[in-house]
């Protein structure tokens, strides 16, 4: 996802079998071993991240077009990254399917499907803002098996499998997310909010490209802001999810997300012990997702889960 997307059309956005309940799904009958699949996800994310970093340093992307609206941009960097990931997955897992943000849609024959955002944060990338990443996940009919989100700008790799922990790997070591003391803020985590104090919560969100939807989202934010510590809007759904898992944010919510935006990040949040809830569709607001600690989730949902203009 560049920064936002459009309205959810039934299961198109999240994909068949994708769970939004916050349930930690066990390995079902016929499921693949998740470790080797995670290694492939990591390889693909790091490889694409390297390609993008070179283009980001050079700057000046020449081939830029728009998709859903004039502000919904796609560049040659997005397309090159997706091509490279598709080629790698084709070599490593030739029978698997793949769906990607920039048009890849291959059903496969193995029962597994890779869900890829080759450049999450395209607008940031094009504006020279170092807040973008690569997201790679793999699913079977029971849900997401493994996922990796790689941030080349900070050399941070967030990963999870549905039977293992969520982790953050950096040059100086790897930590398990969701464990006591694993919070990333300078205050040693998120004091108060993770225990259910909404007034001290740092909440991340995103905005759609459609002007009417953005206006409705602004009304929701106006309702929310008096009740929380502050709001952050940095333009990469996958990083918003993983930063919430790491304790840099207390919670995250966004409407108009697509399956490639959240497939890996949602699993990472679930395995870090966070609740994942759906934001229902309203006349003025598309479907969305909310991620928060269990003690915070319901109170936040009351504020942002309803229509933009409650009756």
């Amino acid at each position: 996802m560049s920064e936002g997307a459009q309205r959810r059309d039934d299961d198109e956005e999240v994909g068949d079998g994708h769970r939004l309940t916050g349930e930690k799904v066990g390995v079902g009958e016929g499921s693949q071993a998740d470790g080797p699949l995670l290694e492939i996800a990591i390889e693909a994310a790091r490889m694409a991240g390297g390609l993008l970093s070179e283009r980001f340093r050079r700057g000046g992307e020449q081939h830029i077009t728009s998709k859903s609206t004039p502000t919904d941009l796609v560049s040659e960097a997005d397309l090159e990254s997706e091509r490279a990931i598709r080629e790698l997955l084709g070599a490593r897992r030739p029978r698997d399917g793949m769906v990607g943000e920039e048009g890849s849609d291959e059903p496969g024959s193995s029962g597994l499907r890779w869900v890829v955002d080759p450049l999450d944060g395209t607008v940031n990338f094009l504006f020279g803002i170092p807040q973008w990443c690569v997201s790679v996940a793999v699913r079977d009919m029971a849900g997401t098996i493994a996922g990796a989100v790689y941030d080349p700008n900070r050399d941070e790799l967030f990963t999870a499998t549905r039977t293992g922990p969520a982790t953050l790997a950096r040059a100086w070591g790897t930590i398990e997310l969701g464990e006591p003391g694993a919070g990333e803020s300078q205050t040693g985590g998120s004091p108060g909010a993770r225990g259910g104090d909404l007034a001290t919560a740092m909440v991340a969100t995103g905005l759609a490209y459609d002007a009417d939807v953005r206006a409705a989202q602004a009304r929701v934010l106006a309702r929310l802001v008096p009740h929380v510590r502050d709001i952050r809007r940095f333009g990469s759904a996958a990083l918003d999810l993983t930063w919430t898992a790491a304790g840099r944010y207390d919670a995250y919510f966004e409407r108009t997300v697509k399956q490639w935006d959240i497939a890996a990040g949602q699993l990472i949040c679930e395995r870090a012990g966070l609740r994942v809830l759906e934001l229902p569709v309203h006349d003025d607001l598309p479907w969305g997702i909310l991620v928060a600690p269990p003690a915070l989730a319901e109170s936040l949902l009351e504020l942002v889960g309803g229509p933009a203009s409650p009756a």
Side-chain angles (χ1 to χ4, degrees):
M1 180 180 78
S2 301
E3 285 185 309
Q6 299 303 301
R7 181 178 297 272
R8 179 189 184 213
D9 295 319
D10 298 323
D11 291 333
E12 180 184 356
E13 307 264 346
V14 293
D16 293 340
H18 194 43
R19 294 170 180 257
L20 288 176
T21 61
E23 176 185 355
K24 295 184 177 180
V25 183
V27 176
E29 183 179 352
S31 294
Q32 303 288 323
D34 49 17
L37 294 172
L38 178 62
E39 290 304 312
I40 295 172
I42 291 170
E43 181 185 6
R46 284 194 178 275
M47 177 272 300
L51 294 176
L52 292 169
S53 291
E54 293 181 10
R55 298 187 74 112
F56 189 69
R57 284 192 293 270
R58 294 198 304 266
E61 290 289 329
Q62 299 297 313
H63 303 288
I64 302 171
T65 58
S66 60
K67 296 187 287 187
S68 60
T69 73
T71 58
D72 183 6
L73 304 179
V74 60
S75 70
E76 180 57 33
D78 298 78
L79 300 174
E80 180 190 36
S81 178
E82 186 160 313
R83 283 194 299 268
I85 293 172
R86 185 170 61 245
E87 290 173 5
L88 186 150
L89 294 178
R92 300 287 186 273
R93 303 281 307 182
R95 295 180 56 242
D96 294 354
M98 173 182 161
V99 60
E101 179 177 13
E102 307 311 335
S104 299
D105 191 359
E106 302 164 7
S109 60
S110 68
L112 299 183
R113 199 177 201 201
W114 295 84
V115 184
V116 173
D117 194 332
L119 172 50
D120 186 47
T122 298
V123 173
N124 285 342
F125 183 93
L126 296 175
F127 275 73
I129 300 169
Q131 186 74 3
W132 48 268
C133 66
V134 181
S135 176
V136 181
V138 60
R139 292 180 182 161
D140 62 12
M141 290 302 294
T144 304
I145 302 171
V149 174
Y150 180 53
D151 175 359
N153 298 290
R154 299 168 184 85
D155 192 21
E156 293 187 335
L157 176 69
F158 300 86
T159 63
T161 65
R162 72 180 175 200
T163 61
T167 65
L168 165 56
R170 292 171 289 194
W172 56 89
T174 299
I175 61 172
E176 186 171 321
L177 303 178
E179 290 294 300
E184 286 289 302
S185 81
Q186 295 302 310
T187 55
S190 298
R194 296 252 157 169
D197 185 359
L198 190 62
T200 62
M202 182 70 75
V203 180
T205 192
L207 298 173
Y209 291 113
D210 182 272
D212 291 335
V213 176
R214 289 169 74 92
Q217 289 175 310
R219 294 193 293 274
V220 172
L221 286 175
R223 186 165 68 234
L224 174 66
V225 166
H227 299 280
V228 297
R229 182 192 300 272
D230 212 339
I231 301 293
R232 294 292 182 268
R233 187 267 195 265
F234 286 168
S236 169
L239 286 181
D240 286 343
L241 284 162
T242 55
W243 282 26
T244 304
R248 296 170 185 174
Y249 304 135
D250 292 302
Y252 159 74
F253 74 98
E254 185 170 356
R255 294 179 182 273
T256 72
V257 287
K258 301 283 189 178
Q259 58 176 318
W260 39 78
D261 302 321
I262 64 174
Q266 179 194 325
L267 179 65
I268 292 165
C269 286
E270 289 175 350
R271 299 307 295 177
L274 301 177
R275 286 192 68 188
V276 181
L277 303 174
E278 292 191 55
L279 299 176
V281 176
H282 297 287
D283 289 341
D284 48 1
L285 290 169
W287 179 91
I289 186 174
L290 181 152
V291 176
L296 198 63
E298 293 297 336
S299 57
L300 185 59
L301 183 63
E302 290 180 9
L303 286 168
V304 305
S309 301

